[in-house]
Amino acid sequence: MRLVVNEKIFETSNAETIMALLNELRIEPGQVAVEVNLSIIKKAEYSTFRLNDGDKVEIVNFVGGG
Amino acid sequence: MNMMDDKLVIRGIEFQSRLLVGTGKYKDFAETKKAIEASGAHVVTVAVRRVNIIDRKSENLLDYIDPKKYKILPNTAGCYTVEDALRYSRLAREAGISDLIKLEVIGDEKTLFPDTWGLLKATEILAKEGFIVLPYTNDDPVMAKRLEDAGAAAVMPLGAPIGSGLGIRNPYNLKIILETVNLPLIVDAGVGTASDAAIAMELGCDAVLINTGIAGAKDPIAMAEAMKHAVIAGRLAYMAGRIPKKLYATASSPIEGML
């Protein structure tokens, strides 16, 4: 499946949910927020929310700032 | 006077220090951590940005700042529209564990002055969504009052432009804001050295937020400690009540008993 993750084209092996995608990217789900096609997905839904081909996914976390 | 009882309280949340610090512009996370520790701050601001999905070895800021020990205050730095500020705020809430947001809606790239029109709109919307909104605003008493009416939990007027180190350029406006709103006033931006922080606190401001003033110093860890003392000293001086300014001298030693 081909996704756009943080504006980069990303071919997933078999990531059908957000949790699977985060695992594939080795991203700790606790410290991020995820948006799919501009909608924020709650952490509780990471395991059940199904991704579709062409979905635009944004994954953000906290960085240094003032 | 018991300083232990003199706490900064925002929406019922008690903070252990009147100095809030940013985490930007440090050499590395280790230095960030040391500076925060030296500052004694309890609130630490962070920005919301994309995860680097290519280089997954890069460390995470939160590995260095324990969210159990510090209150994480995400900002909407870099947002120039209401829509962007709302989007970043909502993402920050989902990424974090609290409703706290340092709301920035920037109006001009060169000065980074706030777009107070957008700030007011965003404050109103986020307050209704249950956010604890701390808006970064101008030193404008009328706007401060409007932000209070819109549901802000505190007001954060600038002392001077972000990162400028110009200090408290308009102490009189800050004094008027203190009289105008019934909210904590946190001076955000402009503090360049310890005396600037002390001046803000002596005016009666409730807290000071510093990033560049510490991170940009030659020795950030020493400056963090200096700021910590300045905020405590300024607060104590405010509580103690300074003497009125006079043009002429008043002798400290008695005339009586002189030869």
Side-chain angles (χ1 to χ4, degrees), chain A residues 3-56:
Chain A
L3 303 169
V4 181
V5 181
N6 290 359
E7 282 204 326
K8 291 186 177 68
I9 291 177
F10 185 79
E11 292 281 352
T12 63
S13 48
N14 59 350
E16 292 185 342
T17 64
I18 289 173
M19 190 60 95
L21 175 66
L22 293 175
N23 285 341
E24 191 174 330
L25 291 167
R26 282 178 289 139
I27 292 171
E28 178 63 42
Q31 296 178 344
V32 297
V34 179
E35 217 182 54
V36 178
N37 302 327
L38 297 176
S39 295
I40 294 172
I41 312 302
K42 297 268 174 208
K43 281 196 168 66
E45 294 169 26
Y46 285 180
S47 303
T48 51
F49 190 96
R50 301 198 82 76
L51 293 165
N52 295 303
D53 198 58
D55 275 351
K56 286 194 169 65

Side-chain angles (χ1 to χ4, degrees), chain B residues 8 18-21 102 135-139 154-161 167-171 173-175 177-178 184-192 196-211 231:
Chain B
L8 170 67
R18 290 181 180 273
L19 173 58
L20 293 74
V21 295
K102 179 190 158 182
Y136 159 69
T137 183
N138 230 317
D139 54 5
V155 285
M156 303 211 295
L158 51 81
I168 311 302
R169 292 196 309 180
N170 199 341
N173 272 32
L174 294 183
K175 274 207 96 88
I177 294 173
L178 283 165
L185 188 165
I186 303 166
V187 171
D188 181 10
V191 171
D196 296 335
I199 285 169
M201 297 308 293
E202 285 170 19
L203 287 168
C205 298
D206 296 281
V208 176
L209 198 163
I210 308 170
N211 189 348
V231 167

Side-chain angles (χ1 to χ4, degrees), chain B residues 2-212:
Chain B
N2 188 358
M3 286 292 280
M4 295 305 287
D5 299 332
D6 178 43
K7 298 268 169 64
L8 170 67
V9 181
I10 300 172
R11 284 284 157 81
I13 308 169
E14 207 175 81
F15 299 98
Q16 307 305 317
S17 167
R18 290 181 180 273
L19 173 58
L20 293 74
V21 295
T23 54
K25 299 183 185 170
Y26 284 98
K27 189 178 68 189
D28 51 36
F29 289 146
E31 187 184 65
T32 314
K33 184 184 162 120
K34 277 187 200 156
I36 293 168
E37 280 169 2
S39 76
H42 185 202
V43 179
V44 173
T45 66
V46 296
V48 177
R49 293 293 181 265
R50 281 181 174 136
V51 172
N52 185 344
I53 60 162
I54 309 292
D55 175 19
R56 290 301 309 136
K57 272 176 280 178
S58 55
E59 292 177 295
N60 192 301
L61 176 66
L62 291 192
D63 296 336
Y64 286 79
I65 302 160
D66 184 359
K68 290 188 196 84
K69 196 170 158 195
Y70 297 101
K71 287 248 186 298
I72 306 296
L73 174 58
N75 67 28
T76 62
C79 293
Y80 282 78
T81 64
V82 173
E83 291 69 29
D84 273 351
L86 297 177
R87 186 184 184 195
Y88 276 73
S89 298
R90 291 163 182 158
L91 282 167
R93 175 148 78 173
E94 193 53 37
I97 37 171
S98 85
D99 298 323
L100 286 165
I101 190 79
K102 179 190 158 182
L103 185 63
E104 296 183 35
V105 182
I106 302 299
D108 174 55
E109 265 181 57
K110 200 168 177 182
T111 58
L112 296 179
F113 281 145
D115 172 353
T116 49
W117 177 85
L119 184 70
L120 186 61
K121 289 192 84 161
T123 298
E124 197 169 14
I125 294 165
L126 292 171
K128 282 196 185 119
E129 291 180 15
F131 280 87
I132 300 169
V133 186
L134 312 180
Y136 159 69
T137 183
N138 230 317
D139 54 5
D140 174 356
V142 177
M143 184 47 66
K145 180 70 187 138
R146 286 189 182 249
L147 289 167
E148 178 177 33
D149 294 343
V155 285
M156 303 211 295
L158 51 81
I162 295 171
S164 70
L166 286 172
I168 311 302
R169 292 196 309 180
N170 199 341
Y172 308 104
N173 272 32
L174 294 183
K175 274 207 96 88
I176 295 170
I177 294 173
L178 283 165
E179 287 181 14
T180 311
V181 301
N182 194 21
L183 292 176
L185 188 165
I186 303 166
V187 171
D188 181 10
V191 171
T193 187
S195 55
D196 296 335
I199 285 169
M201 297 308 293
E202 285 170 19
L203 287 168
C205 298
D206 296 281
V208 176
L209 198 163
I210 308 170
N211 189 348
T212 308

